[in-house]
Structure formats: C-alpha cells, structure tokens
Amino acid sequence: MPLFGNSFSPKKTPPRKWASLSNLHFMDRSTREVELGLDYGTPSMNLAGQSLKFENGRWVSESGSFTGDRRELQRLRKRNQQLEEENNLLRLKVDILLDMLSETTAESHLMEKELEELKQHSQRRK
C-alpha cells in the first residue's frame, strides 16, 4: 500500500499579481537609463600619469595631445614599423624553412623505401 495513496496532487499555486508595480516599467529607454544609472559614459584610465579615454575605438589622451616629445613619438612609430617588417620577414623565413623541411623529409622517406625494396630484391636473388 503506497504511503501517500494512489493520487498525490499538491496544492495549486495562486495566480501571480502584476509583474511589476514600479512605474519604471512604463518609462522609455532613455528615462530608464537615467533613473537606473545605466549610462556609463566612456571608459577611462590613468596610466603612468597620463589620463586616457576610449573614443571611436581608440585610446585618446584626455588633454587632447600627447604630453611627450613629438620626436620621441615619431621615433617610436618608426621603430614599431621596423619591428613589424622584421616580424613579417621572419614569419616568411619560418614558412620557407618548414616547406624545405617537409620536402626533405618526404624525399628521405622515399629513399628509405627504395633502399628497403633494393635490400629485399637482393636477398631474393641470393
């Protein structure tokens, strides 16, 4: 004989009241953002005494100009360009070396296979 009987039916839950009694539900999006503080503004950070903000996909100095020397900035840009070119050249060299290695490995395997075939052929003749 079952413990709870044949028909077990829990009490039905009462229907819910209105989802929200707040008037924020009826406000338009811009008003809600202001009321709830969802307008974060532009991200900003302070790095080595330089205050930067993120605008149009780039970090820009809040003072509007770079506080360092313009010649230093040009030198750094030129050095960056040189390093990028060197990096591209090195990547190309690595690709060429990998191609050469794979070609040499394939030739080596073919030569080993031919050598094995010649050994087997010479053993059959003896």
Side-chain angles (χ1 to χ4, degrees):
M1 186 173 213
L3 184 63
F4 295 110
N6 288 339
S7 60
F8 177 73
S9 60
K11 290 184 180 178
K12 292 187 177 183
T13 57
R16 292 185 175 207
K17 295 182 180 179
W18 181 253
S20 175
L21 297 177
S22 171
N23 61 354
L24 292 175
H25 181 69
F26 298 109
M27 292 183 185
D28 62 297
R29 181 178 176 181
S30 60
T31 310
R32 275 191 304 214
E33 286 178 355
V34 171
E35 290 291 325
L36 298 174
L38 297 177
D39 186 20
Y40 298 118
T42 59
S44 62
M45 70 175 174
N46 189 359
L47 185 64
Q50 181 76 18
S51 184
L52 303 169
K53 61 183 176 180
F54 193 74
E55 288 182 352
N56 299 326
R58 300 192 80 175
W59 287 99
V60 181
S61 174
E62 284 191 358
S63 62
S65 65
F66 183 66
T67 57
D69 187 14
R70 283 208 182 273
R71 281 183 258 164
E72 178 71 14
L73 182 61
Q74 289 176 344
R75 185 188 68 75
L76 290 173
R77 284 185 178 156
K78 185 177 179 181
R79 179 68 177 146
N80 189 25
Q81 180 68 27
Q82 289 173 347
L83 291 174
E84 285 177 358
E85 290 173 2
E86 182 181 350
N87 192 17
N88 289 337
L89 178 65
L90 291 173
R91 285 182 185 183
L92 180 64
K93 286 182 178 182
V94 166
D95 286 342
I96 291 171
L97 286 173
L98 286 173
D99 289 344
M100 291 171 63
L101 178 65
S102 61
E103 183 180 346
T104 306
T105 304
E107 287 176 358
S108 171
H109 286 300
L110 284 175
M111 287 181 180
E112 286 177 2
K113 187 176 181 181
E114 286 179 14
L115 184 63
E116 286 295 322
E117 288 175 359
L118 286 173
K119 283 181 182 179
Q120 288 177 1
H121 185 68
S122 68
Q123 287 177 358
R124 288 181 197 159
R125 285 192 168 184
K126 288 184 180 181

